[in-house]
Amino acid sequence: MSELTALNVAATPIEKFQEFLVTRGMRMTRERNIIVEEVFASHEHFDAEQLVEQLSRRRDSRRVSRSTVFRTLRQLVEAGLLRSVARQDGREVYEHDYGYPQHDHLICRKCGTLIEFHNSQIRDILEEVARERGFRMEAHRLEVTGLCDNCCRPPASRPKKLNLL
Amino acid sequence: MSELTALNVAATPIEKFQEFLVTRGMRMTRERNIIVEEVFASHEHFDAEQLVEQLSRRRDSRRVSRSTVFRTLRQLVEAGLLRSVARQDGREVYEHDYGYPQHDHLICRKCGTLIEFHNSQIRDILEEVARERGFRMEAHRLEVTGLCDNCCRPPASRPKKLNLL
DNA sequence: CTAAGTGCAAATGTTTTGCAGAATC
DNA sequence: GATTCTGCAAAACATTTGCACTTAG
């Protein structure tokens, strides 16, 4: 009888954002809509600059300014739709939070690749630690840095050439 | 017979830094010395600005410029003497790495307090995860954000005044 | 209609850098 | 004595903000 009335289960990111905005007396604008669509069109990690790049040079009515991109990113994080997972080259790196399973990252310091991994024990341990300290945990950010499989070994890249002197 | 010759066990931060510098053809200068002393004089967390504040307005020969503070902090991190553990108000927060046991932090988003905690399982889990992915882990940074004990509960601060209407 | 949002350009705040003179090995 | 450092002022960045105009509700 009701499609999605009281419970907002399986709400789209747009709907979720809408909800957030309404409760704050804010408005759903064309620009905010465009940004959410763009951001949730793929699951890639991204930074503000990349998004600005994609949105600020459009010539049609789907162009969004740099300021608005930054402003909206902040709001999306606050709304729980995005989360900032790392910092690379001085820029904050974002990814989907809403509707995406909890996980952390291995970050290759050489090629910059982000490898996602999930380990439920980590969450449990943190819950326990927080409880012991009377700390109310809200979120965590775990960046594991090192070298990915590819960047680990030396250039085993020239396989055929006989370099035995 | 030897005080600390071959093995550099229990080397002071200064000695450790010296060693790092030498292997790179860099020099131990008065300024670098001052910075290391200042940084290792206490175990507090700090950011670049605080250090600049302390060192750049001295009038005597122990003054160090802003640029040098930033340059040296970068080197100390690279040398493994410091590690950057979090980011607060747009600034990187540092702490001792050398000679200080591994640990992570609970960060209160209200008052900014950093609570250290140690949990050996976390390291083990990360080692395991990294191994599975062929990733060579070098370091990790775990920031748990939320509310500390103090900031958790409402202002139970006005206890005596009878505000029962 | 009125409060909230946008784009622009300018500001902010941190960290970096070019360069001339100073200091280390 | 040559090479590396320092301090300074300026630059480089990412991100934020003031303001006049536009737009959603």
Side-chain angles (χ1 to χ4, degrees):
Chain A
M1 215 157 249
S2 64
E3 297 184 49
L4 41 93
T5 47
L7 304 189
N8 46 314
V9 179
T12 65
I14 302 265
E15 289 164 344
K16 187 94 204 298
F17 194 29
Q18 174 80 265
E19 187 182 305
F20 168 85
L21 293 171
V22 167
T23 65
R24 312 223 164 185
M26 298 168 79
R27 298 164 182 177
M28 178 51 87
T29 64
R30 177 165 36 81
E31 289 80 358
R32 286 176 179 155
N33 223 299
I34 293 168
I35 292 172
V36 175
E37 280 175 4
E38 189 73 26
V39 158
F40 281 86
S42 102
H43 260 310
E44 297 300 308
H45 297 98
F46 67 95
D47 62 38
E49 191 53 36
Q50 289 169 36
L51 199 54
V52 166
E53 197 65 2
Q54 295 170 62
L55 297 177
S56 74
R57 25 185 207 203
R58 289 182 175 172
R59 284 185 296 148
D60 56 12
S61 63
R62 294 184 64 74
R63 196 189 94 91
V64 180
S65 74
R66 169 174 292 271
S67 323
T68 298
V69 168
F70 273 96
R71 280 190 280 241
T72 306
L73 280 177
R74 229 188 307 152
Q75 293 154 4
L76 287 172
V77 169
E78 215 191 333
L81 289 174
L82 290 183
R83 109 185 158 106
S84 70
V85 292
R87 179 160 262 263
Q88 275 191 323
D89 308 316
R91 295 177 189 163
E92 213 58 40
V93 177
Y94 299 91
E95 69 174 13
H96 301 177
D97 188 1
Y98 180 62
Y100 203 64
Q102 222 277 239
H103 62 273
D104 297 298
H105 300 85
L106 307 179
I107 306 174
C108 180
R109 71 162 153 77
K110 199 164 173 190
C111 69
T113 304
L114 273 79
I115 304 170
E116 300 184 355
F117 72 89
H118 171 73
N119 185 294
S120 55
Q121 296 176 75
I122 291 175
R123 190 89 196 174
D124 296 341
I125 292 170
L126 296 181
E127 293 280 15
E128 171 63 16
V129 169
R131 180 151 27 80
E132 286 168 2
R133 316 293 179 115
F135 189 90
R136 183 189 301 169
M137 171 163 78
E138 292 174 344
H140 79 261
R141 168 157 151 167
L142 173 54
E143 304 171 53
V144 180
T145 48
L147 291 174
C148 74
D149 203 14
N150 252 327
C151 298
C152 256
R153 33 188 135 258
S157 38
R158 256 185 284 126
K160 287 296 173 182
K161 254 186 179 155
L162 55 155
N163 40 357
L164 305 176
L165 232 285
Chain B
M1 217 156 254
S2 64
E3 297 183 50
L4 39 92
T5 48
L7 303 186
N8 49 315
V9 179
T12 65
I14 301 265
E15 289 164 344
K16 189 89 202 301
F17 195 29
Q18 172 80 264
E19 188 182 305
F20 168 85
L21 292 172
V22 166
T23 66
R24 312 223 166 186
M26 299 168 79
R27 298 163 181 177
M28 176 53 86
T29 63
R30 178 163 37 81
E31 289 80 358
R32 288 178 179 154
N33 222 299
I34 293 169
I35 292 174
V36 175
E37 280 176 4
E38 190 72 26
V39 158
F40 281 86
S42 101
H43 261 310
E44 297 301 307
H45 298 96
F46 67 95
D47 61 39
E49 190 54 34
Q50 288 168 37
L51 200 53
V52 167
E53 196 66 2
Q54 295 170 63
L55 297 178
S56 75
R57 28 184 205 202
R58 291 182 174 171
R59 285 185 294 147
D60 55 12
S61 64
R62 293 185 63 77
R63 196 189 96 92
V64 180
S65 75
R66 167 174 292 270
S67 323
T68 299
V69 168
F70 274 97
R71 280 191 280 241
T72 307
L73 280 177
R74 231 188 307 152
Q75 293 154 1
L76 286 172
V77 168
E78 216 193 332
L81 288 175
L82 290 183
R83 109 187 160 107
S84 70
V85 291
R87 178 160 261 263
Q88 277 192 321
D89 309 316
R91 296 177 190 164
E92 211 61 36
V93 177
Y94 299 91
E95 70 174 11
H96 300 178
D97 188 1
Y98 179 63
Y100 203 64
Q102 223 279 229
H103 62 272
D104 297 299
H105 300 84
L106 306 177
I107 306 174
C108 179
R109 69 161 156 78
K110 202 166 174 189
C111 69
T113 304
L114 274 78
I115 304 170
E116 300 184 355
F117 71 89
H118 170 73
N119 186 294
S120 56
Q121 295 175 75
I122 290 176
R123 190 88 196 178
D124 296 341
I125 292 171
L126 296 182
E127 294 279 15
E128 171 64 17
V129 168
R131 179 149 28 82
E132 286 168 1
R133 314 294 178 113
F135 189 89
R136 183 188 302 170
M137 171 165 75
E138 293 175 340
H140 79 262
R141 169 156 152 167
L142 173 54
E143 303 172 51
V144 181
T145 49
L147 290 174
C148 73
D149 202 16
N150 251 327
C151 298
C152 255
R153 34 190 134 255
S157 39
R158 254 186 285 126
K160 287 295 174 183
K161 251 185 178 156
L162 57 157
N163 40 356
L164 308 174
L165 233 285

